[in-house]
Amino acid sequence: PALPEGWSAEKDFKAIGSITASSQRTIEPVGPHFLAHARRARHKRTFSEDDRI
Amino acid sequence: MPAKTISPEERVAIGIAFGNSYSSIACTVDGSPVVIANEDGDRQIPTVLSYVDGEEYTGNQAKAFLIRNAKNTVVSFKDFLGKEFKAIDPTHCHAAAHPQAAGDSISFTVQDKAEGDASTLTVSEITTRYLRRLVQSASDYLGKTVNSAVISVPTNFSEKQRDALIKAANDADIEVLQLINEPVSSVLAYDARPEGEVKDKIVVVADLGGSRSDVAVIASRGGLYTILATVHDYEFHGLALDKVLRDHFAKEFMKKNKDVDPREDTRGLAKLKAESESAKKALSIGTNASFSVESLAEGIDFQTTINRLRYETIARKVFEGITRLVESVIKKAELDVLDIDEIILSGGTAHTPRIANNFRAIFPESTAIQAPSTNPSALNPSELQARGAALQASLIQEYESEDIEQSTHPAVGTVKHITNAIGVVSVEDGDEVFVPVIAPETAVPARRTIHIAAPKEGGDVLVKIVEGNTHIKVTKPEATPKENGTKDDEDSDEDSDFDSDDEEPEELREKVWKIGTTLAEGAIKGVKKGGNVEVTITVAGDLGVTVTTREVGGKGGIRGTIKAP
């Protein structure tokens, strides 16, 4: 939507809430994307760090 | 338990789908899976082990001995692995070697040597011997000794059963790289095709086997699979369909031969069983099947035919049971048929056209049904699990055993999954609508990017990040009023009659997004006319959120973080 009149925030970004609900589940340890996830998890890398490699 | 391990350089790995009724083996050639035929030319190899005059037989050869050598033939033993005698259902072994208690395990007594006494073999030993033969077929095909494998197992296979299977395989000189869940194996077989694409979707896998049917709902999110719900059933399966046909043919036979029931004779029953299964398979391909058995009972030959329509009529109860299984697992996952993007039919019974057609009737048009009769490019349902296992084997065979164990440890995969979707608010026809960026049930960390049209006139744009969830909106089209006014009164009589009696207005059910809690707002200033805005949302493992957004093609953009709850 269009920006309402008089809207302002520091650096034009305003955090309001945070994620309300989540559940603990287990991903199946199968497939190339899981192996990539496991690699990131074991080396504690983020997505962008992983992209750079 | 110290399991057998092999160094990556020496490894020759395959995928094995090990079932109660049939098993199959597959390898990968240049990254794509190939299902291997055994020396009999079979890709679906019956899970049967038989001994005649000290010779060992497996597969279809062993299955044929159920007629003449039933008591030295072992069938349907896979689900007995790692179980106690009192916990098993020996129904499917009645016409073959009977399982018996052996300490806290199960054994079979068979004459496996040409001379001397019969041997009592544990189910573990039977499995080892059978796996050895399977792997031998793969080694013959590859020209190299196969020494490791990924094996698919049902989701409700206990830890004890998993350990028992690993031990039996180790005893057959096979290193088990990993045991993977059967439904996930099937999804991987589809996603890994060259034309397969990794999408966020909810998939139902209906694995319809011989002695059991297992259905699972899986959230596929960026190529990561999370099982949301499973059901297991031991009533509606292929053997139940065989029985429907067997009873039908037995009755036909008895019409012609009074007082002779071929089911009461052990051999007659074995012949009926074998031929009923063949007729069933023929009816999945053609619309007619012939059924003929030499000397079915009391030396009388029997020959008849059946068409698919008749079969579908007599087997209706089993088919409906399978449909109910699928409906029940979706309910168990707290979802609706409208939430299902794809249904994958797997297992031998999945070749039945009627089953896929019944699914077509309960799912919306948008749901892809992966079965040979509904999708010409569907994969062979019997091959999915072996293909998936072979693909997984090729992915991990270069890892050291320790790495595989650490990477596949449940702790690595047990993470938070967001319950609600995260998206942005857009305006359509003056109404605020929710545009999902990250789907519900996505495992974190996760990152997704979308491009969304800015208001047509451009200018300053508010990017509003919100949670969202779906609900099912039911609308009843208004019943056609009985009195249509005076204008077309004359010809409305039959119409309104027809309407009120036969055409109960059908409920319209649709999935709609509801905008939930606002997470953040951001401003992109001075967007061009007709411009697009790119929004990237990254959710970290602790549920903290990072948002970056900019005009497509524009410079700068903004970045902000929302702290974890």
Side-chain angles (χ1 to χ4, degrees):
Chain A
L3 195 68
E5 286 285 320
W7 189 97
S8 74
E10 196 186 332
K11 287 181 183 169
D12 284 345
F13 185 85
K14 187 158 65 180
I16 294 166
S18 45
I19 289 177
T20 53
S22 69
S23 56
Q24 196 80 6
R25 294 184 189 270
T26 302
I27 313 169
E28 294 293 304
V30 169
H33 297 89
F34 178 83
L35 294 175
H37 161 84
R39 196 178 59 230
R40 285 191 296 269
R42 288 176 64 199
H43 296 105
K44 308 214 182 312
R45 276 191 217 128
T46 63
F47 283 107
S48 40
E49 281 162 4
D50 207 48
D51 285 345
R52 262 178 258 138
I53 292 168
Chain B
M1 183 180 55
K4 182 183 166 71
T5 57
I6 289 175
S7 70
E9 306 80 60
E10 292 166 4
R11 216 176 254 146
V12 180
I14 59 165
I16 300 178
F18 177 44
N20 277 312
S21 312
Y22 287 87
S23 297
S24 42
I25 42 182
C27 60
T28 50
V29 175
D30 299 330
S32 37
V34 175
V35 178
I36 300 168
N38 71 355
E39 54 283 4
D40 300 330
D42 296 317
R43 287 185 171 78
Q44 276 68 58
I45 304 163
T47 307
V48 185
L49 191 68
S50 183
Y51 291 92
V52 180
D53 299 328
E55 281 287 324
E56 185 180 82
Y57 297 89
T58 54
N60 268 319
Q61 295 188 25
K63 197 170 181 175
F65 285 122
L66 279 171
I67 295 169
R68 286 189 294 115
N69 187 32
K71 70 179 194 327
N72 293 318
T73 304
V74 188
V75 301
S76 210
F77 53 86
K78 172 209 155 180
D79 273 356
F80 299 168
L81 267 174
K83 280 207 168 173
E84 283 182 52
F85 185 71
K86 59 176 191 283
I88 63 161
D89 172 15
T91 313
H92 301 299
C93 298
H94 277 330
H98 291 196
Q100 60 215 29
D104 58 359
S105 172
I106 289 156
S107 68
F108 295 87
T109 300
V110 291
Q111 181 71 46
D112 66 336
K113 293 184 280 287
E115 284 161 19
D117 294 334
S119 309
T120 298
L121 307 171
T122 61
V123 65
S124 178
E125 172 66 17
I126 296 282
T127 304
T128 298
R129 292 186 184 191
Y130 179 74
L131 289 177
R132 212 187 277 280
R133 294 288 300 263
L134 270 190
V135 168
Q136 185 58 48
S137 300
S139 298
D140 291 347
Y141 173 87
L142 290 167
K144 288 185 279 197
T145 304
V146 170
N147 52 22
S148 65
V150 168
I151 308 178
S152 62
V153 293
T155 53
N156 65 345
F157 227 46
S158 68
E159 275 311 308
K160 217 176 150 197
Q161 288 179 288
R162 287 168 199 255
D163 288 345
L165 177 55
I166 291 172
K167 182 188 175 297
N170 287 169
D171 289 346
D173 295 322
I174 306 158
E175 171 203 33
V176 178
L177 291 174
Q178 193 187 353
L179 296 180
I180 63 173
N181 285 322
E182 288 171 349
V184 182
S185 192
S186 298
V187 180
L188 182 62
Y190 268 100
D191 281 354
R193 293 178 303 165
E195 67 268 35
E197 48 178 331
V198 172
K199 273 193 304 193
D200 288 350
K201 57 190 174 183
I202 299 280
V203 186
V204 168
V205 180
D207 176 14
L208 311 173
S211 57
R212 55 186 292 169
S213 290
D214 304 273
V215 193
V217 181
I218 298 175
S220 171
R221 303 288 184 233
L224 297 176
Y225 309 115
T226 305
I227 295 180
L228 301 180
T230 58
V231 295
H232 308 279
D233 178 86
Y234 301 89
E235 189 182 348
F236 301 109
H237 44 53
L239 289 172
L241 293 171
D242 293 352
K243 185 170 185 300
V244 163
L245 282 169
R246 189 200 316 160
D247 290 342
H248 169 80
F249 291 130
K251 279 177 196 147
E252 291 260 297
F253 181 79
M254 287 159 73
K255 265 185 221 159
K256 288 176 185 149
N257 308 279
K258 293 262 179 284
D259 302 326
V260 184
D261 188 342
R263 289 169 296 187
E264 281 167 12
D265 172 60
T266 320
R267 276 200 195 184
L269 182 63
K271 286 179 183 175
L272 263 177
K273 275 187 179 175
E275 195 59 25
S276 297
E277 191 186 346
S278 309
K280 177 187 73 178
K281 286 181 181 168
L283 287 168
S284 288
I285 302 161
T287 49
N288 265 293
S290 65
F291 175 94
S292 81
V293 179
E294 251 178 61
S295 179
L296 179 55
E298 297 189 1
I300 308 164
D301 294 352
F302 181 60
Q303 200 161 12
T304 185
T305 59
I306 184 167
N307 64 34
R308 191 187 280 172
L309 201 63
R310 177 104 184 94
Y311 165 58
E312 288 176 350
T313 310
I314 60 177
R316 212 186 71 212
K317 270 191 184 153
V318 181
F319 293 149
E320 285 174 351
I322 290 170
T323 306
R324 279 198 304 276
L325 272 180
V326 169
E327 288 173 323
S328 72
V329 77
I330 294 169
K331 202 171 162 196
K332 200 170 164 188
E334 294 173 13
L335 295 174
D336 186 274
V337 287
L338 293 174
D339 293 311
I340 310 301
D341 300 297
E342 186 171 343
I343 171 160
I344 293 176
L345 275 82
S346 150
T349 305
H351 289 274
T352 312
R354 170 54 53 193
I355 293 175
N357 292 343
N358 287 352
F359 290 155
R360 185 71 284 166
I362 64 165
F363 285 100
E365 279 295 310
S366 55
T367 307
I369 297 185
Q370 306 286 15
S373 60
T374 48
N375 176 6
S377 66
L379 296 172
N380 180 342
S382 300
E383 296 187 347
L384 295 177
Q385 291 170 10
R387 279 167 174 259
L391 284 162
Q392 180 68 5
S394 75
L395 288 173
I396 59 176
Q397 64 181 348
E398 278 145 35
Y399 290 32
E400 296 288 346
S401 309
E402 199 184 313
D403 281 348
I404 298 174
E405 194 158 316
Q406 284 180 14
S407 295
T408 59
H409 192 276
V412 175
T414 304
V415 298
K416 291 193 174 87
H417 287 59
I418 56 170
T419 306
N420 297 313
I422 300 173
V424 293
V425 174
S426 169
V427 178
E428 257 173 42
D429 303 329
D431 288 330
E432 288 200 334
V433 294
F434 178 81
V435 180
V437 180
I438 306 186
E441 299 303 348
T442 297
V444 298
R447 177 178 60 183
R448 298 287 188 280
T449 300
I450 59 159
H451 289 179
I452 185 167
K456 273 197 269 316
E457 63 281 10
D460 296 350
V461 175
L462 175 72
V463 178
K464 198 171 169 188
I465 311 294
V466 294
E467 287 192 319
N469 53 37
T470 60
H471 67 114
I472 305 296
K473 191 171 131 195
V474 183
T475 34
K476 270 195 179 167
E478 282 181 33
T480 334
K482 284 251 158 91
E483 299 293 326
N484 281 359
T486 46
K487 219 166 112 194
D488 46 15
D489 224 17
E490 282 153 48
D491 57 3
S492 74
D493 263 18
E494 318 167 48
D495 283 3
S496 59
D497 237 35
F498 182 76
D499 279 347
S500 53
D501 290 349
D502 299 325
E503 274 187 29
E504 267 295 298
E506 208 178 308
E507 282 182 349
L508 269 179
R509 303 175 72 252
E510 54 178 337
K511 191 163 101 167
V512 289
W513 286 102
K514 209 166 66 188
I515 298 173
T517 326
T518 304
L519 299 178
E521 287 176 345
I524 302 286
K525 292 179 178 160
V527 177
K528 285 194 301 283
K529 264 191 175 186
N532 284 305
V533 173
E534 179 187 86
V535 181
T536 298
I537 300 178
T538 308
V539 184
D542 63 356
L543 298 179
V545 181
T546 308
V547 181
T548 56
T549 174
R550 61 185 178 95
E551 185 187 351
V552 174
K555 277 185 197 138
I558 56 163
R559 177 188 170 89
T561 55
I562 302 165
K563 60 178 191 307

